[in-house]
Amino acid sequence: MVASDTRSVDELERRVEAIAATEPAERSPDDHARLTDALVALADAYGERGAFDAEAETIARLDRLRGHGGANDTAVHLANALANATSVRDRDDLYETAIDPGRIEAYRDRIQTLYDRRPEPAIAAPLARATAETIHANGKGDRRDRIEPLVDRLETLYDAHPEPDVAAALLRAYAHAELYLGEEPESEETADVPLGRNAGADTGDDHPDSAVEGDRVARAEELFRTHPDGDVAAGLAGVLAGRTNADAKRTDVEAIEDRIGRIEALADRYPAREESITRWLPVATANAARAGFEAADISRVEHWASETAAHHERLSTPSSATWAAVAAFFSARASFFDGDIDAGETKLERLEALEDRYENPVFAHWLGRAMFDAARSYVENDRSERAREMVDELSEFAVGHQDREEIEAGLEALRSHAPHLFDEPDDSGGEATDSVEVTAGPVATDDGPDETPSETRPDGVSREPDETSATPDADEATAADRGGSTGDSADDDSTDAPGCGNCGDDGCGNCGTGDELKEPASGPVLAAVGAAVVLVGVSVAYTLYRAQRALRRSVGSQ
């Protein structure tokens, strides 16, 4: 990664114009070098401000210098300027709600053209960096079919240039592939994605994942042993964090905790790269909170939700915020399901603060679901006034919300189960029970992972979590961005950020916006069929209800 220049935009503009005032033929080699250096820094400064047109014009100006003295050096400078323009991770705030992966991929392709003319390490390094960032952008932009071909290109580039900086970029690519592709439908026998020609390599590693053919984690560990470098360690941390999406889907809390420990050990070993390594921790800790909820382990949910919030306070990026929202949601849900309304309301306030702070719709998604959990808890605990207030708030919240149909259907089912709380006639013929089985609220209806986190996503309009997913941005949460944003049950495969997510990083996509839902049934039918009205064809509500019962049994036995 090329460090950002500390000079101001105004200072850089003055420097460029002062040197450019001299005719090209009259410039000395030193003048030419200073001009190219200033143009690279100026283009990056424009890009960090979101002034993409000015960035593009400055890069074009740098490209025109190649026809004059020092052409070889100018090509390398141009490659680095183009690589800077592909940055997603370091421009997390710019891509909180939207990203143009086509623009970023076009810059990567221009570096590829430079490399094809001069296939040397000085251009291979920025090409590798740009390829990893393009993978991140495609994840946040919901163009996942473009990810694996780019990973393959990076593998080929590493074969030609097995250098630490290329290896570090390759591992960042693996990390985003884990966030955005790690939970795609696959066989029950394996949750790992083949790496093509690298599958089945015998690394001799006793890492628990190394026995799985083509496992990205095993491949990442192998590359780290070959290049025990701080940047490579940061890439390995990303792969480990990304894998926790799949671990959470399997409710494997212990595996997630092992990966968290591994990331922390890498940070201790490379203090100079601690920030780059620990920036991946919110992805893993949020997934630990999610898996703890699925396992009905309240103490784990609370611990890892608290850890995720602490990481976000330190990082304060849209991607880390996406994963903090994911963890807060599952923590709030655990409290409401356990009947601890005061604790649930405190966590609901945290989600409201995040939704107020960030523009990404993934935050409204998690808030809406938590508000529904609160309403359900008020109904079950016979707090009629608070139940009516929350239902009114949710009805208002649903206006213009991407989950409007799910929210309104859920509220209708809630009213039908407890008409006495809402001053409505009971048409159920006495079939309504004291317990409301509709627990999901606005629920994602697609089976794909949310991005982050969506480094979700926050990772964008085009569906980011963290970092994702997720996607973190995920940065990388929708992606969770969206990375990546994560789902709330074993049957709901959304993740984060992000990114998620959505996302991620965190990174989070959001929640199946645009999916076709059937109209809510009438009052009598709702009373008869219960949760099926909320989400036709999907078993999420039923699964969550089973999780609720398991949680209560677990609490009751303690």
Side-chain angles (χ1 to χ4, degrees), residues 14-32 34-35 61 65 68:
R14 288 193 299 269
R15 185 174 182 82
V16 166
E17 295 310 320
I19 300 173
T22 305
E23 289 296 325
E26 298 176 5
R27 291 177 199 149
S28 68
D30 286 344
D31 286 338
H32 181 86
R34 284 193 295 270
L35 180 58
R61 192 171 179 178
L65 287 179
H68 303 290

Side-chain angles (χ1 to χ4, degrees), residues 331-333 335-336 340-349 370 374:
S331 180
R333 170 162 280 188
S335 294
F336 284 127
D340 191 347
I341 292 177
D342 290 341
E345 288 177 333
T346 298
K347 296 157 188 175
L348 185 61
E349 290 174 0

Side-chain angles (χ1 to χ4, degrees), residues 369-381:
R369 298 175 77 173
M371 290 170 71
F372 189 92
D373 287 342
R376 178 202 56 78
S377 185
Y378 295 145
V379 169
E380 288 196 340
N381 289 276

Side-chain angles (χ1 to χ4, degrees), residues 288-289 292-294 297-306 327 330-331 334:
F293 174 82
E294 301 295 351
D297 190 334
I298 292 180
S299 63
R300 272 183 161 134
V301 176
E302 294 305 306
H303 172 74
W304 291 118
S306 176
F330 285 108
S331 180

Side-chain angles (χ1 to χ4, degrees), residues 383-397:
R383 297 196 180 186
S384 56
E385 183 175 350
R386 287 295 293 127
R388 287 191 292 268
E389 290 175 354
M390 184 57 71
V391 166
D392 289 342
E393 288 180 30
L394 262 172
S395 297
E396 182 178 348
F397 182 81

Side-chain angles (χ1 to χ4, degrees), residues 40-114:
V40 171
L42 182 59
D44 190 33
Y46 284 139
E48 288 183 346
R49 285 184 169 188
F52 298 131
D53 290 342
E55 179 185 46
E57 174 54 35
T58 306
I59 290 174
R61 192 171 179 178
L62 179 62
D63 196 6
R64 290 193 292 270
L65 287 179
R66 287 194 298 155
H68 303 290
N72 288 340
D73 288 340
T74 304
V76 175
H77 280 286
L78 177 60
N80 279 295
L82 290 165
N84 289 341
T86 67
S87 180
V88 176
R89 176 180 57 171
D90 294 329
R91 299 177 180 180
D92 196 14
D93 55 332
L94 297 179
Y95 301 128
E96 179 186 341
T97 59
I99 192 169
D100 181 3
R103 176 179 63 85
I104 291 171
E105 189 157 351
Y107 282 135
R108 193 217 75 89
D109 291 345
R110 289 175 64 181
I111 307 174
Q112 181 72 58
T113 300
L114 292 172

